[in-house]
Amino acid sequence: MAEEEDDVRIRLTSVLVDDQDRALRFYTEILGFEKKHDVPLGEDRWLTVVSPDDPDGVELLLEPSGHPAAKPFKDALVADGIPFTQFAVDDVRKEYDRLRDLGVRFTQEPTTMGQTTTAVLDDTCGNLIQLAHQS
Amino acid sequence: MGDVFKALADPTRRTILDELTARDGQTLFEICGRLTTNHGLTSSRQAVSQHLDVLERAGLVETRREGRYKFHHINTDPLEPIIERWLRRRTTCGSD
């Protein structure tokens, strides 16, 4: 029924960050994404990053978490160790070693459960992020 | 000692202690993930949280807040009286 151009696609996803400057540094300099858009928008910026392997792929919006509901929501997730979202890597253990050397804090060391290996890190902007690969 | 036996009477709680033995110091998220993927248990996060409360009241689990995170650790000290009361005594008798 739907023409191809009508298909719903994921072009953008977002994380709620406490501070956009700090988020940009962490997501580019530490995690290794590249900045795609940085446009002033009211008090904040429309700030997105992409994977260097796929610059025209899904963008990650570093969205300010200024809404009063955001902080209690994020704090509760972090306290229970629940990641806000998940990124794919080729090898979780290798990435864990690389990031830990850069001073990144992990709340879960690499763990293989079934076919999936995961680890959970702190993005310094109020979120936990899960890294994952499938074996 | 009653609390300890009550805490250990539940298979899910025993499995939680197994997983904390495999790696001590886990978030609620990691414990839930391990129960699901390693043991096929489908307890809700809230149910696991309640199991952890029972284990904590029995002294078998301790929680540690580190910054904004909360980690769960196993504490086997409450099991010592069981060893003292039956296992060590039997060993002593056997060596008579």
Side-chain angles (χ1 to χ4, degrees), chain A residues 13-125:
Chain A
T13 183
S14 64
V15 286
L16 294 169
V17 298
D18 295 345
D19 180 308
Q20 284 190 305
D21 286 325
R22 191 163 72 236
L24 183 60
R25 280 198 303 276
F26 185 85
Y27 280 79
T28 57
E29 292 168 20
I30 307 288
L31 286 185
F33 292 111
E34 284 175 0
K35 186 165 78 176
K36 173 103 179 199
H37 292 295
D38 188 352
V39 185
L41 197 71
E43 290 179 351
D44 304 305
R45 296 136 73 187
W46 181 262
L47 180 61
T48 70
V49 296
V50 290
S51 166
D53 292 344
D54 192 11
D56 296 320
V58 176
E59 292 176 49
L60 179 69
L61 177 67
L62 304 176
E63 187 173 5
S65 54
H67 191 283
K71 185 174 161 43
F73 166 68
K74 291 172 67 177
D75 287 350
L77 291 185
V78 170
D80 284 341
I82 301 170
F84 191 86
T85 190
Q86 184 193 77
F87 299 136
V89 294
D90 290 335
D91 184 330
V92 167
R93 281 166 218 284
K94 219 183 267 179
E95 195 62 10
Y96 169 80
D97 289 339
R98 184 185 77 82
L99 292 171
R100 213 180 41 166
D101 286 348
L102 292 172
V104 174
R105 176 74 173 86
F106 280 78
T107 61
Q108 185 207 298
E109 291 169 26
T111 309
T112 302
M113 303 183 197
Q115 303 285 303
T116 310
T117 301
T118 61
V120 179
L121 61 86
D122 186 328
D123 79 348
T124 72
C125 300

Side-chain angles (χ1 to χ4, degrees), chain B residues 10-68:
Chain B
D10 182 273
T12 300
R13 290 199 284 271
R14 292 197 297 272
T15 307
I16 290 172
L17 294 179
D18 290 341
E19 288 297 339
L20 288 176
T21 304
R23 178 189 288 162
D24 201 17
Q26 294 182 40
T27 61
L28 177 62
F29 175 77
E30 182 172 357
I31 293 168
C32 290
R34 284 167 172 264
L35 292 180
T36 306
T37 53
N38 294 346
H39 305 277
L41 295 173
T42 52
S43 309
S44 67
R45 189 171 283 133
Q46 197 182 2
V48 174
S49 186
Q50 285 166 357
H51 282 311
L52 285 165
D53 286 344
V54 174
L55 289 166
E56 191 173 0
R57 280 201 299 275
L60 291 164
V61 163
E62 289 177 347
T63 56
R64 176 174 56 90
R65 283 214 167 255
E66 189 183 320
R68 301 157 56 239

Side-chain angles (χ1 to χ4, degrees), chain B residues 1-7:
Chain B
M1 200 183 265
D3 282 355
V4 173
F5 282 107
K6 196 184 155 211

